[in-house]
Amino acid sequence: MGNKQNPGDPNFNELMKTTHFDRNELNTLLNEFKALDKDKSGELNESEFTTVMKKHSGNLTEDMLKRLFRTFDKDGGGGVDFKELVTALSIIGKGTSEEKLKYMFDLFDENRDGTLDKKETTKIVEQMRNVALAMGSTTAGAEKFVQTVVQKIDANHDSNISKDEWVKVGLQVPSLLALLGADFKTT
């Protein structure tokens, strides 16, 4: 579970070097983290994590919240410590497009094999379709656009998408991150 650090004593100098946050932003996030860590364990459980993500991300589905929790919990221990939280928030909130694309790839790569298979790609398509509809697209328009993007990403048409394919095409299709709901507020 996390690194069992004392949430009152994070190394801000280290975090400022490894994230896109300054000292004031880290302080704000730390105060929020402490307020949400009801049991004072130094980690956010899934319920506490969901509360913070709903505040910073708007309308995420339960499936997406579970994916985020799993992805934020880098060590797989069942809790997200402060360092895990700010590192991930930094990428999805303030990272470069390439950093965000890599993170979103990992979010959907359920079996962690470095490739999105047909089942994992289907989940991405569902997420993009839902976001497109929420943004006001018609069902037909959203479907056509999403299918076009997926065809571009799977350049060799093998029904498996590598991280390289994902990032290369994603950098050429700026709306991909918006369609994945990767528009997060971090402070």
Side-chain angles (χ1 to χ4, degrees):
M1 291 189 188
N3 291 326
K4 284 295 187 190
Q5 67 194 37
N6 177 354
D9 190 29
N11 185 339
F12 277 13
N13 291 330
E14 176 189 331
L15 289 172
M16 288 187 311
K17 289 178 189 174
T18 59
T19 70
H20 299 283
F21 292 119
D22 63 30
R23 186 173 299 279
N24 288 335
E25 292 168 319
L26 287 170
N27 213 12
T28 298
L29 289 168
L30 178 62
N31 289 334
E32 185 176 349
F33 182 91
K34 286 179 178 180
L36 289 169
D37 183 17
K38 300 293 184 202
D39 62 1
K40 307 299 179 211
S41 66
E43 297 182 325
L44 300 180
N45 63 33
E46 193 167 349
S47 172
E48 294 164 336
F49 173 83
T50 298
T51 300
V52 73
M53 290 312 298
K54 283 183 178 177
K55 176 180 177 186
H56 289 285
S57 62
N59 300 325
L60 290 176
T61 65
E62 289 302 315
D63 179 60
M64 188 61 125
L65 287 166
K66 287 181 185 312
R67 287 176 186 282
L68 284 168
F69 182 77
R70 187 194 80 228
T71 306
F72 275 49
D73 180 17
K74 285 291 185 197
D75 65 6
V80 175
D81 66 31
F82 184 69
K83 182 178 179 182
E84 289 171 326
L85 180 71
V86 297
T87 299
L89 283 176
S90 172
I91 292 169
I92 61 176
K94 293 183 156 209
T96 65
S97 293
E98 185 172 347
E99 288 172 323
K100 289 178 181 184
L101 285 164
K102 287 178 179 178
Y103 194 84
M104 294 304 287
F105 181 94
D106 292 341
L107 193 63
F108 285 93
D109 184 13
E110 292 177 349
N111 61 5
R112 308 265 192 249
D113 68 353
T115 303
L116 299 176
D117 61 26
K118 192 166 183 77
K119 177 181 162 209
E120 293 163 334
T121 302
T122 299
K123 292 192 182 221
I124 290 174
V125 168
E126 289 171 11
Q127 174 69 17
M128 289 192 294
R129 187 181 308 115
N130 290 339
V131 171
L133 291 172
M135 294 171 69
S137 291
T138 64
T139 303
E143 186 68 34
K144 182 176 180 182
F145 183 74
V146 167
Q147 289 305 321
T148 300
V149 169
V150 170
Q151 286 173 357
K152 284 181 184 178
I153 293 172
D154 186 15
N156 61 5
H157 307 292
D158 65 355
S159 296
N160 291 308
I161 299 172
S162 71
K163 191 180 277 191
D164 288 341
E165 286 176 314
W166 175 262
V167 172
K168 180 180 177 187
V169 175
L171 289 172
Q172 298 168 5
V173 182
S175 55
L176 179 62
L177 287 170
L179 281 176
L180 289 168
D183 182 22
F184 293 86
K185 302 173 292 204
T186 53
T187 57

